Amino acid sequence: MTEVKRISTYLLFGLSLISTNAVAQYTFALIGKTQNDSFYQQAFAGCKDFARQQSDLTCLYDGADDYQDVRTQVLIVKEYVEKGVDGILVSTTDSKYLVSGALKEAKQKGIPVITFDSDLLSDQHAYRLAYVGTNNFDFGVALGQAAKKYKKQSPQPVCIQSGHYTTPNLNERIRGVRYALSGTADKKLTGKSGWIEYERCPLYTMGKRDEALSQLLAILSTDTPPIFIAVAGFAQFNDKYVSALQPFKQQLLQQAVTVISADTEEIQVKALGLGLSTINIGQKPYHMGLQSAELLYNYVKFNKKPPQSAYYLDFHYCNKNNAMTCTNNR
């Protein structure tokens, strides 16, 4: 985050602690993997909409500026812990580093944490109250099942694109894809199931949009492109995606190449409607932010602990024909 942005955020934070009517003021910080990502901005919109219904709650928004930076996320969470927010909602980039670098201190200070979108590893669940988001293994299975329709040979090559290699939710999605295509979640596809992973894959983008688009174009430019499965939006969040994919439009429409992607943000469904993606499977980030804020609020104000450890939201399927109508999630 730039210094100006951070000063503005802390000014807002300071003002949120000033109550004009002697009513206790609660402040939550929602921290995504990246700040400039419409997915996490939607989650923040959900948090803000819940806060508007309360007289004593403010939601703040933060995250690494441009890509999935493990260290920056931990530093940001740690800053909010030290500033003394009343609760934290966070999408985990690296579970072990986040816990050791920030969430242990949050727990010591009594600051509750809800994870959304990407949970902590199972042996670190003591450092969060609950998780709200997609069942990421099932989501990966859905991506893998979608690929089966486009299988043209045996073994069929497939290339999985991910973000940061330590990110829990993305690794679960990779496991789900492999399980759907082979019945085994923890091994790279070798061809025995009729599916084989392209030799250079999985590809890791670190959430960098230019890198993600370059990787996709390199794969599509091979003589016989593998089925491409992105376990998050990555390349499709790049504003150059539509122009860059134009040379492959006819191949996409004729199913000579296949691009399957997670997420259905506005920029993605526009590309899908233009025939520049094969299928997108979307999540509900707005509801992640809304429900996470509600659970956290009930805990800090009423001492009502979430009765469940995980709250799974459903997902939806988009193709060229329904691209403009498949994402009404609010």
Side-chain angles (χ1 to χ4, degrees), residues 18-156:
I18 301 173
S19 174
T20 60
N21 56 4
V23 175
Q25 178 70 43
Y26 301 105
T27 302
F28 295 164
L30 186 146
I31 301 164
K33 295 175 191 169
T34 53
Q35 187 180 169
N36 66 344
D37 190 321
S38 62
F39 186 96
Y40 299 112
Q41 290 165 2
Q42 281 200 63
F44 179 50
C47 187
K48 286 195 297 183
D49 281 355
F50 177 78
R52 287 189 186 102
Q53 301 170 30
Q54 320 307 320
S55 62
D56 55 0
L57 178 61
T58 298
C59 282
L60 303 178
Y61 179 60
D62 216 328
D65 278 345
D66 297 314
Y67 65 96
Q68 295 172 16
D69 187 321
V70 171
R71 294 181 181 275
T72 297
Q73 183 181 63
V74 172
L75 288 172
I76 289 171
V77 174
K78 185 176 177 65
E79 286 178 0
Y80 283 105
V81 170
E82 292 175 349
K83 290 288 182 180
V85 291
D86 299 288
I88 292 172
L89 301 84
V90 62
S91 176
T92 306
T93 300
D94 185 302
S95 182
K96 293 179 180 179
Y97 194 62
L98 182 60
V99 168
S100 63
L103 297 192
K104 283 187 177 180
E105 183 178 349
K107 190 174 182 67
Q108 291 170 356
K109 291 189 172 183
I111 298 174
V113 174
I114 297 278
T115 54
F116 73 96
D117 175 52
S118 181
D119 199 3
L120 299 175
L121 296 173
S122 58
D123 61 352
Q124 296 176 322
H125 283 180
Y127 295 96
R128 54 78 159 161
L129 286 174
Y131 164 76
V132 179
T134 306
N135 181 315
N136 286 290
F137 181 82
D138 289 351
F139 193 52
V141 170
L143 291 166
Q145 291 289 356
K148 290 183 177 181
K149 178 181 176 181
Y150 304 98
K151 183 178 182 182
K152 295 181 175 63
Q153 55 185 293
S154 187
Q156 170 65 53

Side-chain angles (χ1 to χ4, degrees), residues 251-267:
Q251 291 171 279
L252 281 159
L253 293 175
Q254 295 167 5
Q255 298 183 8
V257 298
T258 302
V259 176
I260 297 169
S261 180
D263 298 331
T264 50
E265 297 302 292
E266 183 178 357
I267 192 172

Side-chain angles (χ1 to χ4, degrees), residues 159-163 203 205 211-212 215-216 228-232 234-235:
C159 178
I160 301 171
Q161 185 185 58
S162 189
L203 302 173
T205 69
E211 177 71 14
Q215 290 176 355
L216 171 60
F228 190 88
I229 302 177
V231 296
F234 304 132

Side-chain angles (χ1 to χ4, degrees), residues 313-326:
L313 305 179
D314 59 0
F315 40 87
H316 50 268
Y317 296 80
C318 298
N319 55 48
K320 184 178 183 298
N321 296 326
N322 72 351
M324 296 299 106
T325 60
C326 64

